[in-house]
Amino acid sequence: QKEVEQNSGPLSVPEGAIASLNCTYSDRGSQSFFWYRQYSGKSPELIMFIYSNGDKEDGRFTAQLNKASQYVSLLIRDSQPSDSATYLCAVERGSQGNLIFGKGTKLSVKP
Amino acid sequence: SAVISQKPSRDICQRGTSLTIQCQVDSQVTMMFWYRQQPGQSLTLIATANQGSEATYESGFVIDKFPISRPNLTFSTLTVSNMSPEDSSIYLCSVASAPGSTDTQYFGPGTRLTVL
């Protein structure tokens, strides 16, 4: 089983809709979870991080964490064409900050 | 967040040669990491660059192939040695102010390497 799994997509949603991106992880001891956005040809940029079970909201973005199910998701409300990118889920392994990345989900928001 | 720069931004190299990539941060950071992103793939951690000691390499990466220096808290280099076309990739450095779950990692702009 891969450490961090994501659907590769592409996930296509119409402008204004909610985009839902999902991620599962294998290490039950993981404590920290991150979502990065990567535009084509650019480096990843941090969108959100979450440490506690439940929801965490920041503007149009909501991260959801369920440690019992080893599941983390990212919701993007009122999706915009500028949200079109690859979204990378990352899980911290160990205590030294090492991040394990999923393969990413490519999101396409259609005008 | 810290401002991170990398040099060179891109390079085309011949097989068998070596390339050193520099990562500079505008503030002191505790942790610096080097990642590789192969075409169409996600990020893979190569090593953690430790200030004042040898880097900590991930499984599948060795010091002879990817020597790393970290002379101070704002600078690190990654050398890709004896390159082959399979080393063609984007190499990214990232930084964090503290280890563990209390801080987040930010990435530099990356170095796009093509090996012919």
Side-chain angles (χ1 to χ4, degrees):
Chain A
Q1 183 186 5
K2 295 179 182 175
E3 291 193 65
V4 181
E5 294 204 56
Q6 298 179 254
N7 287 328
S8 61
L11 173 65
S12 185
V13 300
E15 184 174 356
I18 296 176
S20 178
L21 305 162
N22 304 315
C23 173
T24 58
Y25 59 95
S26 61
D27 184 356
R28 190 170 286 278
S30 298
Q31 297 294 322
S32 306
F33 308 87
F34 304 85
W35 283 100
Y36 286 84
R37 177 175 62 197
Q38 187 173 28
Y39 293 111
S40 180
K42 301 294 185 182
S43 64
E45 56 178 319
L46 182 69
I47 298 178
M48 291 193 71
F49 57 88
I50 187 167
Y51 306 141
S52 303
N53 275 329
D55 295 359
K56 179 181 179 182
E57 187 175 316
D58 184 0
R60 296 187 295 114
F61 299 96
T62 299
Q64 299 175 316
L65 175 61
N66 184 325
K67 290 185 180 180
S69 300
Q70 296 175 240
Y71 176 91
V72 59
S73 66
L74 179 69
L75 300 178
I76 306 175
R77 290 182 299 281
D78 188 23
S79 295
Q80 302 296 309
S82 59
D83 294 327
S84 298
T86 296
Y87 289 80
L88 301 168
C89 172
V91 176
E92 188 174 41
R93 182 185 67 194
S95 61
Q96 294 303 308
N98 297 3
L99 294 183
I100 306 301
F101 282 83
K103 290 194 171 184
T105 298
K106 187 170 184 178
L107 172 66
S108 177
V109 181
K110 304 294 186 184
Chain B
S1 61
V3 177
I4 307 165
S5 60
Q6 284 185 236
K7 291 182 181 179
S9 59
R10 59 178 62 223
D11 207 342
I12 300 174
C13 301
Q14 298 296 320
R15 70 168 66 211
T17 63
S18 298
L19 176 72
T20 295
I21 302 167
Q22 299 179 2
C23 179
Q24 178 76 55
V25 191
D26 69 343
S27 59
Q28 293 187 343
V29 292
T30 305
M31 310 295 289
M32 294 183 79
F33 305 89
W34 287 98
Y35 289 83
R36 179 174 72 182
Q37 188 171 30
Q38 295 179 303
Q41 301 297 314
S42 190
L43 283 76
T44 302
L45 179 64
I46 297 172
T48 302
N50 302 308
Q51 195 267 329
S53 64
E54 204 167 275
T56 304
Y57 289 84
E58 296 297 301
S59 176
F61 297 96
V62 295
I63 188 171
D64 289 347
K65 176 67 175 177
F66 297 102
I68 288 171
S69 77
R70 176 96 191 267
N72 56 52
L73 292 176
T74 64
F75 186 79
S76 178
T77 67
L78 168 74
T79 299
V80 186
S81 303
N82 188 25
M83 289 183 284
S84 67
E86 292 71 35
D87 295 319
S88 297
S89 187
I90 298 173
Y91 292 86
L92 297 133
C93 72
S94 74
V95 304
S97 295
S101 61
T102 58
D103 200 18
T104 52
Q105 283 187 37
Y106 298 93
F107 284 85
T111 295
R112 184 180 294 269
L113 171 62
T114 302
V115 184
L116 302 178

